């Protein structure tokens, strides 16, 4: 999400990033520290209360928890309610089941209406996918075949049909593994390329294959970890077809596959973790990748392996969709998300800060973004632009795309930083001197690395919250000034008082 974090409209949002993890020295961390002025460190020895006080002192309006119930979480910070509105996003695919979380970011693929009753939060529905990514900016080399490796570079047979899955091995059920082995038995030239983690699971899978058919063991190849991520994506591109896991789909790994140009087949599940790949397939406009059951899954895998012309058509469609479909249009996602933040704050003001009166929100879709359109057009025209335009490096953004001088909106999008952050709504820029009294807006918490919170402020410039009004540049309706708020809620018997 690094690119999405840096694409916020700086005239409407002020972004904060709260890092709960130690410095891993990664490039992503360096970008966040450099590009986000409000990058805050929250060392592990800081108590939840001290961290919450930092957030409250910053006047954050909407706090986004990027961990949820995952390793390294600091949900005790959110439980103290340091921000008027709090939401959970991305890391944990499900409800928090906590009264201190007001909103959960979803879409109607992972959370259809019939699942609504299972969520304790109000839902913020993104128009396409809840998932944001930065592939189109950070990993454009994947789009140029001359930048890709050969199978021999990774000890993968040149003449084999390569089925793959790079999720953690713990997601593979006994039933699914049996299906994979039957697929290999029906495709004599096929191999299965898996991720070697955890190692103990690798040995168990080898034993399970040996019990079914000893000849299958040698046709399962285990790949070690690979970094940086760009090299992993290049490696993934060598596969022919991704066989998705079913109980818990490939989420980030599913997007990895699609950006690398590898089609996948998945089964539509009955909960969020098992419906993400369906969402990804629909958001690259390839519903043919979604199966109704494992029988269709097995038949389709075998059919594509035995019909290279049809598989080539799938790959060709996917290659074209990478630069036009909503899944990889980060700016489009950000504009929709910002629209949702505006609606959230409008509700909070209109309902006179009565939490029970808040309702679900549907974010507006503004269509293909200007920057995505330009990238697609220029890539189709010139190919790898950084190499094609060596004398025009001054026109390139940090990720290597050239933009037309007359397209100012795209230039501004290209110049915005990319990273995890927090945003606060500044209801009126003139009120910043009295920000302790006028914190009307939103602080957003997000995760980078093991643990991060983000927050945002908005200004009065940019337009309204509904439909296309704000996008068109109309005036943002201003909530009435709010009275001074205590930095933290009162504690009752050592626990936060949750309203």
């Amino acid at each position: 999400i690094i690119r999405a974090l840096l694409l916020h409209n700086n005239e409407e949002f002020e972004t904060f990033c709260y890092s709960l993890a130690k410095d891993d020295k990664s490039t992503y961390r360096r970008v966040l520290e450099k590009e986000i002025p409000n990058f805050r460190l929250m060392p592990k020895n800081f108590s939840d209360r001290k961290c919450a006080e930092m957030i409250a002192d910053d006047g954050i309006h909407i706090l986004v928890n990027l961990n949820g119930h995952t390793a390294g979480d600091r949900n005790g910070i959110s439980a103290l309610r340091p921000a008027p509105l709090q939401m959970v996003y991305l890391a944990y695919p499900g409800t928090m089941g906590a009264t201190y979380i007001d909103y959960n970011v979803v879409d109607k693929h992972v959370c259809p209406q019939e699942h609504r009753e299972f969520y304790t939060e109000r839902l913020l529905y993104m128009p396409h996918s809840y998932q944001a990514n930065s592939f189109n900016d950070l990993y454009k080399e994947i789009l140029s075949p001359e930048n890709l490796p050969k199978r021999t570079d990774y000890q993968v047979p040149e003449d084999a049909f390569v089925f793959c899955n790079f999720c953690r091995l713990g997601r593979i059920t006994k039933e699914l593994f049996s299906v994979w082995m039957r697929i290999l038995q029906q495709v004599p030239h096929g191999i299965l390329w898996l991720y070697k983690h955890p190692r103990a699971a690798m040995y168990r899978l080898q034993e399970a294959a040996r019990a079914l058919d000893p000849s299958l063991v040698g046709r399962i190849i285990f790949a070690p970890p690979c970094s940086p991520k760009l090299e992993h994506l290049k490696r993934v591109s060598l596969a022919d077809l991704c066989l998705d896991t079913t109980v818990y789909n490939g989420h980030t790994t599913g997007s990895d596959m699609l950006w690398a140009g590898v089609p996948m087949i998945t089964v539509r599940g009955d909960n969020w973790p098992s419906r993400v790949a369906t969402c990804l397939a629909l958001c690259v406009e390839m519903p043919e990748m979604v199966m109704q059951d494992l029988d269709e899954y097995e038949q389709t895998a075998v059919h594509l392996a035995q019909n290279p012309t049809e598989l080539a058509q799938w790959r060709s469609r996917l290659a074209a969709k990478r630069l036009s479909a909503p899944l990889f249009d980060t700016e489009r996602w950000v504009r929709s998300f910002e629209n949702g933040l505006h609606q959230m704050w409008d509700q909070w003001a209109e309902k006179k800060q009565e939490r029970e009166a808040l309702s679900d929100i549907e974010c507006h879709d503004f269509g293909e973004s200007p920057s995505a359109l330009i990238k697609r057009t220029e890539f189709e025209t010139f190919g790898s632009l950084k190499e094609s335009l060596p004398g025009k490096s001054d026109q390139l953004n940090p990720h290597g795309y050239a933009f037309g001088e007359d397209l100012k909106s795209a230039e501004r999008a290209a110049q915005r930083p990319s990273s995890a952050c927090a945003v606060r709504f500044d209801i009126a820029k003139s009120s910043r001197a009295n920000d302790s009294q006028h914190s009307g807006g939103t602080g957003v918490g997000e995760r980078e690395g093991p643990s991060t919170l983000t927050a945002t402020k908005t200004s009065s410039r940019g337009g309204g919250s509904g439909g296309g009004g704000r996008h068109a540049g109309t005036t943002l309706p201003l909530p009435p000034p709010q009275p001074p708020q205590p930095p933290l809620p009162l504690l009752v018997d050592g626990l936060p008082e949750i309203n």
Side-chain angles (χ1 to χ4, degrees):
I1 62 171
I2 187 170
R3 183 64 175 158
L5 291 168
L6 294 176
L7 278 175
H8 280 296
N9 184 338
N10 294 331
E11 295 183 353
E12 296 184 15
F13 297 88
E14 183 179 3
T15 299
F16 291 69
C17 177
Y18 300 94
S19 176
L20 304 174
K22 66 180 182 180
D23 188 349
D24 61 0
K25 310 299 182 183
S26 67
T27 301
Y28 301 106
R29 173 81 175 214
R30 297 282 80 80
V31 170
L32 296 180
E33 292 177 337
K34 178 182 178 181
E35 302 290 355
I36 297 183
N38 302 306
F39 186 91
R40 306 279 197 264
L41 297 178
M42 290 184 171
K44 284 189 174 181
N45 61 350
F46 278 24
S47 67
D48 288 346
R49 184 176 185 86
K50 185 169 184 177
C51 293
E53 287 174 343
M54 288 177 61
I55 295 169
D57 288 344
D58 282 334
I60 300 306
H61 305 135
I62 301 175
L63 184 69
V64 180
N65 183 328
L66 288 177
N67 283 83
H69 297 302
T70 62
D73 75 77
R74 295 286 302 273
N75 291 324
I77 298 173
S78 299
L80 290 169
R81 276 206 175 275
L85 292 175
Q86 300 186 156
M87 63 196 302
V88 63
Y89 175 58
L90 194 61
Y92 184 72
T95 183
M96 286 287 287
T99 56
Y100 56 80
I101 296 295
D102 303 304
Y103 285 92
N104 198 329
V105 182
V106 302
D107 60 60
K108 292 187 177 180
H109 304 303
V110 299
C111 182
Q113 186 58 43
E114 58 267 27
H115 294 179
R116 178 65 186 86
E117 63 180 301
F118 304 118
Y119 291 79
T120 59
E121 308 89 354
R122 277 71 174 176
L123 300 183
L124 188 148
Y125 289 98
M126 296 300 293
H128 298 285
S129 173
Y130 77 97
Q131 189 182 103
N133 61 67
S134 305
F135 292 96
N136 206 343
D137 288 292
L138 301 183
Y139 308 118
K140 76 179 186 69
E141 286 186 39
I142 295 297
L143 302 175
S144 302
E146 63 271 15
N147 294 327
L148 303 180
K150 298 179 181 178
R151 285 186 172 182
T152 53
D153 296 332
Y154 291 96
Q155 293 75 54
V156 177
E158 287 281 5
D159 57 349
F161 187 94
V162 180
F163 298 102
C164 78
N165 184 289
F166 279 81
C167 293
R168 289 173 57 93
L169 298 178
R171 298 185 186 183
I172 303 171
T173 64
K174 181 178 180 179
E175 180 183 23
L176 179 63
F177 190 69
S178 296
V179 170
W180 287 358
M181 295 302 97
R182 290 199 300 271
I183 290 172
L184 288 184
Q185 289 173 327
Q186 296 173 74
V187 183
H189 64 301
I191 66 168
L192 181 59
W193 200 15
L194 302 177
Y195 181 45
K196 186 166 50 178
H197 183 74
R199 187 178 293 271
M202 176 185 72
Y203 297 133
R204 288 194 289 271
L205 290 177
Q206 289 174 327
E207 288 303 313
R210 185 174 290 108
L212 291 171
D213 183 347
S215 68
L216 295 176
V217 178
R219 295 169 61 190
I220 305 176
I221 299 175
F222 291 91
C226 179
S227 63
K229 174 139 184 174
L230 178 60
E231 296 309 311
H232 168 65
L233 292 173
K234 290 180 178 180
R235 174 177 67 172
V236 165
S237 71
L238 300 174
D240 292 299
L241 181 66
C242 173
L243 302 177
D244 189 33
T245 47
T246 51
V247 174
Y248 197 113
N249 297 160
H251 296 186
T252 301
T253 50
S255 292
D256 288 348
M257 291 293 167
L258 299 180
W259 184 251
V262 180
M264 67 177 174
I265 54 173
T266 189
V267 175
R268 189 193 306 269
D270 57 6
N271 58 19
W272 185 340
S274 63
R275 297 175 68 92
V276 172
T278 294
C279 170
L280 301 179
L282 297 177
C283 289
V284 292
E285 300 167 352
M286 291 189 65
E288 59 267 34
M289 296 193 294
V290 181
M291 310 296 131
Q292 297 306 309
D293 53 42
L294 281 174
D295 287 339
E296 185 182 8
Y297 178 102
E298 178 180 339
Q299 294 167 10
T300 302
V302 173
H303 176 77
L304 290 172
Q306 295 175 343
N307 293 271
T309 300
E310 185 169 343
L311 178 65
Q313 293 172 349
W314 278 39
R315 294 181 70 96
S316 178
R317 284 199 295 275
L318 178 58
K321 294 297 182 182
R322 287 183 295 182
L323 285 171
S324 62
L327 182 63
F328 299 117
D329 190 341
T330 314
E331 186 182 359
R332 180 177 186 171
W333 188 96
V334 172
R335 297 291 86 80
S336 294
F337 184 63
E338 290 179 339
N339 173 259
L341 296 180
H342 274 279
Q343 291 189 59
M344 285 173 59
W345 191 254
D346 288 348
Q347 276 197 19
W348 177 247
E350 292 167 2
K351 303 300 182 182
K352 303 184 185 303
Q353 302 183 14
E354 295 181 7
R355 209 168 299 282
E356 294 303 317
L358 299 176
S359 60
D360 293 350
I361 288 172
E362 293 197 20
C363 301
H364 183 71
D365 179 19
F366 296 105
E368 185 176 29
S369 68
S371 61
L373 175 61
I374 294 168
K375 290 174 187 177
R376 174 165 58 85
T377 303
E378 293 193 343
F379 190 89
E380 291 171 352
T381 304
F382 300 108
S384 184
L385 291 178
K386 182 174 287 187
E387 291 74 26
S388 299
L389 303 173
K392 298 186 178 182
S393 58
D394 59 314
Q395 295 181 22
L396 301 176
N397 74 7
H399 305 298
Y401 289 107
F403 294 92
E405 293 182 1
D406 58 329
L407 296 165
K408 300 300 182 184
S409 60
E411 289 182 325
R412 286 196 298 272
Q415 291 165 3
R416 290 181 192 132
S418 309
S419 124
C421 58
V423 183
R424 179 177 60 198
F425 289 148
D426 287 325
I427 295 310
K429 289 204 171 187
S430 60
S431 72
R432 292 213 178 186
N434 302 313
D435 205 34
S436 61
Q437 298 181 11
H438 300 279
S439 64
T442 313
V444 182
E446 300 219 31
R447 169 185 178 183
E448 144 59 23
S451 238
T452 304
L453 295 173
T454 64
T456 308
K457 293 183 179 179
T458 63
S459 76
S460 60
R461 298 179 61 184
S465 66
R470 184 181 62 81
H471 185 71
T474 57
T475 302
L476 174 65
L478 304 184
Q482 304 300 322
Q485 300 293 321
L488 289 173
L490 297 175
L491 298 180
V492 180
D493 295 330
L495 296 176
E497 179 180 81
I498 305 301
N499 296 322

